Amino acid sequence: MSKIFEPSSSWKSGLAKTVTFIVTKDCQLACKYCYLVGKNEKERMTWEVAKKAIDYILDNEKQFKEESVIWDFIGGEPFLEIDLIDKICDYLKIEMYRRDHHWFDSYRFNFSTNGINYDSDKVQKFIAKNREHLSIGITIDGTKKKHDLNRIWKGEKPEKGSYEDVVRNIPLWLKQFPGGGTKVTISSADISYIKESVLHLYSLGIHEVNINVVFEDVWKEGDDLLFEEQLIELADEIIDKDLYKENTCSFFAEFIGKPLDPEKDNQNWCGAGKMLAVDSAGNFYPCTRFAGYSLREKRPLIIGNITDGIDHNKLRPFLTLDRLTQSPQKCIDCEVASGCAWCQGENYDAAQTSTIYQRSIAICKMHKARVRANNYYWNKLYRKLDKEEEREEFEKNEVESNNPIC
C-alpha cells in the first residue's frame, strides 16, 4: 500500500519539562493576528535575571523531575537577543555538566522565529555550536499574498509585508533542518488562501505544515463554510496529486472528530502549569500566555519569581485542570469533540471572572467545519489506497500467471 507521510513527533513528547525565557518583548514585525498585545522595545531580559532563573531551576533539581528539558526562547523575536541567548546556553551546558544534573545530555534548545535574521553571522555561529541539541522553526504563512496580509513590518506606512525577507532564508534553514516544520496561523481575513498557501509551502520543500486557527473570538458568520470549502479543495489536491506521500498538513488527522469518553479522555489540552516561563522582571508564569504582554483583559498570573522561587499553592488550580472541570456541557457531550483544542491562557483572558476553569469556545464552528473536511479527506484517501492495493495485487497475479513456475 502507498506510504502516507508521518509528521515528526515532538522531542521527548510528554517527558520533557519546558522552560521558556521571554528574552525580549520586541519584534521587527507587527503581525495583525498576534496574541502578544503588549510588545515593546524596553522589556529585555538581562544576563543577571537569566542566570538567577537558571540557578534557581538547577539548584532545585528535586522539584523538576522530568527526565528531559526543553529550554525554549521566545519574544517577540528571540534572535534579536542572540548574544544573551548564546551566553545563556553556554552557561546551561556548563552548569548541567558541573552539577551532574539529570538533564545533562537530555535537553533541547527550542526556537520559533520569524526567520528575518536567520542568516546573520551570530545566529549561524550559534547554530553551528549547538546543532545537535537544537530545534528551530521558521514561521512562514504560505504564499506572498497570504503572508503579507498579516505578517507586516512594524511601523511601516504604507504597510510592508515580510514574505521576501523570510523566504530567502528557507533554503538555508531546510539545509540545516531538513525535517523542519512551519507554523501557519489562519484568521478570518485569510481563510480563502489556505489551499494555495499549503501547496506553496510544499513547493518550497517544507513537508510538515502545522496550521491552526486563532483561538480569539474573531470569527464571522460564514467563515466556517469557507474554511470547510478550502480544506476540501486542499484535500483533493493532496490526494489526487499524491502529495500525502511526502507531506503532511495538521488540519487532517485521523484522531479528530470523534466523541470522547469523559472517564478515559479527560486530560487537559495543553501543559499550562507543567511548563514554566520567566520574563525580564524575573517573574515566573505557568506558561507564557499568562504574562502581561499576552493578555488583553486580565492581570498577569504570576506564580513566583527568581528571588523567592515558585509558590506551589498558586499552581494548585492547574493540577486539577481537565476537560470536565472547564468545559460546558455541550462540549462534553459533543459528537466530534476529539481534536477540539483550547488555549489555557485564552480561557483565562476571555472568561467573565479571573478563573482558568471557563473554556473559551470561540472556535466551535471552525472545529466542526474542520471535522467535516477531515472526514472527506480520509474517506477519499482510503478509497484511493484500497484501489491501489487491489491494482497492485492484480498486477502481481498477472505477472505470476504469465511466469508459471516449472
Side-chain angles (χ1 to χ4, degrees), residues 92-149:
L92 281 168
K93 289 182 288 187
I94 291 169
E95 285 300 296
M96 287 189 293
Y97 173 78
R98 185 182 69 81
R99 299 163 183 257
D100 193 24
H101 196 283
H102 72 277
W103 285 341
F104 175 69
D105 208 33
S106 189
Y107 67 91
R108 281 287 185 276
F109 298 136
N110 185 69
F111 298 84
S112 180
T113 171
N114 61 32
I116 289 171
N117 60 347
Y118 183 84
D119 61 342
S120 69
D121 288 342
K122 288 183 177 180
V123 172
Q124 286 301 304
K125 288 179 181 177
F126 174 82
I127 291 172
K129 183 164 64 172
N130 296 285
R131 180 66 189 88
E132 297 305 313
H133 291 275
L134 201 56
S135 298
I136 299 178
I138 290 181
T139 300
I140 180 168
D141 258 3
T143 62
K144 178 175 171 60
K145 183 180 290 187
K146 160 78 171 83
H147 185 98
D148 286 351
L149 186 66

Side-chain angles (χ1 to χ4, degrees), residues 146 184-196 198 210-215 219-236 249-253 256 339-341 362-377:
K146 160 78 171 83
V184 177
T185 301
I186 303 299
S187 64
S188 180
D190 51 50
I191 297 172
S192 59
Y193 304 115
I194 292 175
K195 182 192 78 170
E196 64 185 44
V198 173
N210 298 301
I211 187 167
N212 64 275
V213 299
V214 297
F215 289 101
W219 304 105
K220 301 173 183 175
E221 189 67 32
D223 279 352
D224 56 324
L225 300 180
L226 180 57
F227 182 49
E228 180 182 359
E229 180 183 299
Q230 277 288 300
L231 292 187
I232 287 176
E233 290 181 9
L234 176 61
D236 286 336
C249 172
S250 63
F251 271 149
F252 303 123
I256 76 164
C340 187
I363 67 167
C364 178
K365 285 187 176 181
M366 301 302 285
H367 172 70
K368 290 176 179 177
R370 177 194 175 194
V371 168
R372 294 193 295 270
N374 186 66
N375 290 340
Y376 174 88
Y377 175 91

Side-chain angles (χ1 to χ4, degrees), residues 201-218:
L201 294 172
Y202 291 164
S203 74
L204 294 177
I206 301 172
H207 298 298
E208 184 173 335
V209 177
N210 298 301
I211 187 167
N212 64 275
V213 299
V214 297
F215 289 101
E216 290 78 16
D217 190 6
V218 300

Side-chain angles (χ1 to χ4, degrees), residues 341-388:
W342 61 86
C343 168
Q344 210 64 55
E346 175 59 19
N347 288 355
Y348 170 68
D349 204 12
Q352 283 93 346
T353 61
S354 295
T355 179
I356 58 172
Y357 291 101
Q358 184 176 326
R359 178 174 167 184
S360 172
I361 56 173
I363 67 167
C364 178
K365 285 187 176 181
M366 301 302 285
H367 172 70
K368 290 176 179 177
R370 177 194 175 194
V371 168
R372 294 193 295 270
N374 186 66
N375 290 340
Y376 174 88
Y377 175 91
W378 290 103
N379 285 333
K380 178 168 182 170
L381 177 58
Y382 280 112
R383 283 198 303 272
K384 176 175 180 172
L385 295 178
D386 286 344
K387 288 180 181 178
E388 288 184 355

Side-chain angles (χ1 to χ4, degrees), residues 268 272-274 312-322 325 356-357:
N268 195 28
K274 298 177 182 177
H312 291 277
N313 281 326
K314 292 183 177 179
L315 276 177
R316 287 181 184 275
F318 290 90
L319 301 179
T320 58
L321 275 175
D322 54 37
T325 57
I356 58 172
Y357 291 101

Side-chain angles (χ1 to χ4, degrees), residues 137-195:
I138 290 181
T139 300
I140 180 168
D141 258 3
T143 62
K144 178 175 171 60
K145 183 180 290 187
K146 160 78 171 83
H147 185 98
D148 286 351
L149 186 66
N150 284 307
R151 301 187 68 79
I152 59 173
W153 280 88
K154 178 180 64 177
E156 293 286 338
K157 299 291 182 182
E159 291 180 354
K160 178 186 175 185
S162 59
Y163 175 85
E164 298 296 344
D165 305 285
V166 178
V167 76
R168 66 182 176 83
N169 283 323
I170 296 299
L172 173 60
W173 169 58
L174 290 176
K175 181 180 179 181
Q176 293 171 332
F177 300 92
T182 194
K183 182 179 69 174
V184 177
T185 301
I186 303 299
S187 64
S188 180
D190 51 50
I191 297 172
S192 59
Y193 304 115
I194 292 175
K195 182 192 78 170

Side-chain angles (χ1 to χ4, degrees), residues 297-313:
E297 306 292 339
K298 298 295 194 301
R299 295 171 60 86
L301 203 161
I302 298 171
I303 58 168
N305 58 66
I306 56 176
T307 300
D308 302 320
I310 296 172
D311 183 342
H312 291 277
N313 281 326

